[in-house]
Amino acid sequence: TAGVGKTTLIQKASEVLKSSGVPIDGFYTEEVRQAGRRIGFDVVTLSGTRGVLSRIGSEPPPGKRECRVGQYVVDLTSFEQLALPVLRNAGSGSGPGQRVCVIDEIGKMELFSQPFIQAVRQTLSTPGTVVLGTIPVPKGKPLALVEEIRNRNDVQVFSVTKENRNRLLPDIVTCVQSGRQ
């Protein structure tokens, strides 16, 4: 559910995993505020590179189809330029041991991108790569990829609430370290 702290939880888990020596890469989504009001979302990679995911009511670039979620217009080009290399990189690492790829979030805005959908599927089925991701709670029309992920037998889904988010951290870290997504 929105605003319960999924991204914060993912960031904390990433820090714990990183400090325990697990190779980790990926991206998270961050609110962008102006004068106290949310004007959109940015994608931020774990190495700190930032790009636009969406902004309120901005027009799509000339010649591009409009991808809109509520009042937000998604900047597909900006999103893909940042997210795709990170996912491809996570899925192609070599060497022993497992790697972790953070994908926050696999949601409506991100799913306008077909290459992103393919990259997520690819990353989920790469041996040795564990995905630590967030998916939205189903409401309205189900999102095909989200349901596909939810129903995979190699995926462990945690429901995050304001009440349980702090308790979940050790469980999530243990889960990722044991090699489950």
Side-chain angles (χ1 to χ4, degrees):
T1 321
V4 298
K6 293 192 298 284
T7 296
T8 308
L9 188 54
I10 287 269
Q11 288 169 321
K12 285 181 179 168
S14 303
E15 283 162 23
V16 173
L17 290 161
K18 203 174 197 168
S19 63
S20 71
V22 177
I24 185 164
D25 202 359
F27 71 87
Y28 56 89
T29 306
E30 209 170 68
E31 277 189 351
V32 180
R33 291 184 168 269
Q34 204 171 51
R37 128 177 210 270
R38 183 162 77 193
I39 59 160
F41 295 91
D42 278 355
V43 177
V44 187
T45 66
L46 263 60
S47 56
T49 316
R50 174 183 291 270
V52 172
L53 171 60
S54 65
R55 288 293 181 270
I56 285 180
S58 54
E59 290 298 307
K64 299 277 185 185
R65 71 189 177 110
E66 183 175 78
C67 302
R68 186 181 276 278
V69 177
Q71 58 186 345
Y72 300 102
V73 176
V74 179
D75 186 334
L76 269 190
T77 307
S78 165
F79 168 65
E80 290 177 348
Q81 279 173 346
L82 215 68
L84 295 179
V86 168
L87 294 190
R88 293 193 179 124
N89 186 27
S92 68
S94 55
Q98 59 186 35
R99 291 170 311 285
V100 176
C101 182
V102 172
I103 310 178
D104 169 40
E105 145 179 275
I106 302 165
K108 231 180 206 161
M109 290 186 188
E110 295 82 1
L111 293 179
F112 279 115
S113 166
Q114 288 304 313
F116 174 71
I117 292 174
Q118 289 167 341
V120 169
R121 284 200 179 110
Q122 177 77 44
T123 309
L124 281 166
S125 32
T126 301
T129 299
V130 178
V131 172
L132 173 58
T134 60
I135 53 176
V137 171
K139 54 174 186 276
K141 189 166 165 276
L143 302 167
L145 181 65
V146 171
E147 293 314 302
E148 184 187 311
I149 292 168
R150 196 189 303 283
N151 294 319
R152 285 176 67 116
N153 57 13
D154 59 352
V155 165
Q156 169 82 47
V157 176
F158 294 92
S159 291
V160 183
T161 63
K162 277 198 167 91
E163 291 68 44
N164 74 2
R165 65 181 176 206
N166 296 334
R167 286 202 310 273
L168 280 180
L169 183 60
D171 297 348
I172 290 171
V173 169
T174 305
C175 184
V176 170
Q177 286 170 331
S178 73
R180 287 191 49 94
Q181 329 230 33

